[in-house]
Amino acid sequence: LDKTKSVGALAAWLGTHQGVISWKLDGLTVVLTYENGILVKALTRGDGLVGEVITNNARVFANIPKEIPYKGSRIDAASFGTFFRTPLIFESDFRAFRIADADAKYKNPRNLCSGSVRQLNNRITKERNVHFFAFNLVDGEDVDFKNSFSYELDWLEQQGFDVVEHYLIDADKLPERVAKFAEQ
């Protein structure tokens, strides 16, 4: 797969197939593991091989479900061995934090989020209003995603996760949808 900024080149690549268009969020990678529908572990990506356990902090993210309807023995989701998703702090919350804490060392919302998920006191994490957006599922026992990223995102949403805004799109509708994203 190559990168492009050309809508025409992307439409040509899609050809007669459908694709998924969504936002790319600049956040952290966190893996959530659920066993029998219960959140049992949250890890940062770390260096790609070894991450940090942040389960205590993940439990106070603004929108992570502590229990999901899927009761299979284990699922590993989005971006991480289990549930991978993207934690982030909204720009508006970052600005409010910077105003409230004049000595703030964080230069941007991503850095604040990174520091927030590593706090020893999860009350601080909770106050910083960290949000989690599921982006993909690494492994889910007995779940058939029909080789479809769109189906996977919809399934994650049905489990109670917030997912990034996304649309199933074909080449004909691509320019219109890209224009709407650009407006936003």
Side-chain angles (χ1 to χ4, degrees):
L1 294 176
D2 203 355
K3 295 180 182 180
T4 184
K5 292 187 177 185
S6 165
V7 175
L10 184 56
W13 178 80
L14 275 174
T16 60
H17 301 283
Q18 289 188 313
V20 176
I21 186 171
S22 70
W23 295 106
K24 181 193 180 299
L25 300 179
D26 183 22
L28 309 175
T29 299
V30 169
V31 177
L32 304 179
T33 300
Y34 288 78
E35 293 179 359
N36 299 312
I38 306 294
L39 175 64
V40 295
K41 188 185 302 180
L43 302 170
T44 65
R45 179 178 180 187
D47 64 6
L49 297 174
V50 177
E52 296 174 59
V53 176
I54 61 158
T55 310
N56 191 41
N57 287 336
R59 292 183 193 282
V60 299
F61 285 7
N63 61 339
I64 281 186
K66 286 137 194 97
E67 186 171 352
I68 60 174
Y70 176 76
K71 301 302 180 202
S73 60
R74 178 182 172 133
I75 59 170
D76 292 328
S79 286
F80 303 99
T82 303
F83 273 102
F84 261 160
R85 293 309 164 237
T86 300
L88 58 85
I89 291 177
F90 292 113
E91 182 74 29
S92 57
D93 291 326
F94 176 69
R95 282 194 303 269
F97 174 78
R98 293 284 305 251
I99 290 168
D101 186 350
D103 296 327
K105 300 174 268 231
Y106 302 102
K107 294 181 180 180
N108 57 53
R110 190 178 196 281
N111 289 354
L112 176 61
C113 187
S114 180
S116 298
V117 303
R118 292 176 172 88
Q119 289 292 318
L120 296 178
N121 180 344
N122 74 355
R123 284 183 293 172
I124 293 171
T125 304
K126 183 176 177 116
E127 290 169 2
R128 293 184 181 173
N129 209 19
V130 177
H131 286 77
F132 180 84
F133 286 85
F135 184 72
N136 72 315
L137 190 66
V138 174
D139 186 26
E141 294 179 4
D142 303 322
V143 181
D144 179 9
F145 295 107
K146 303 172 185 2
N147 195 31
S148 168
F149 182 58
S150 178
Y151 183 87
E152 184 177 319
L153 289 173
D154 293 344
W155 187 86
L156 286 164
E157 198 166 29
Q158 292 166 10
Q159 299 307 304
F161 292 97
D162 288 342
V163 298
V164 68
E165 179 183 0
H166 64 281
Y167 301 92
L168 196 56
I169 194 84
D170 59 29
D172 292 339
K173 299 287 184 188
L174 182 65
E176 176 185 334
R177 182 54 65 185
V178 169
K180 287 183 180 181
F181 271 90
E183 286 175 19
Q184 289 178 289

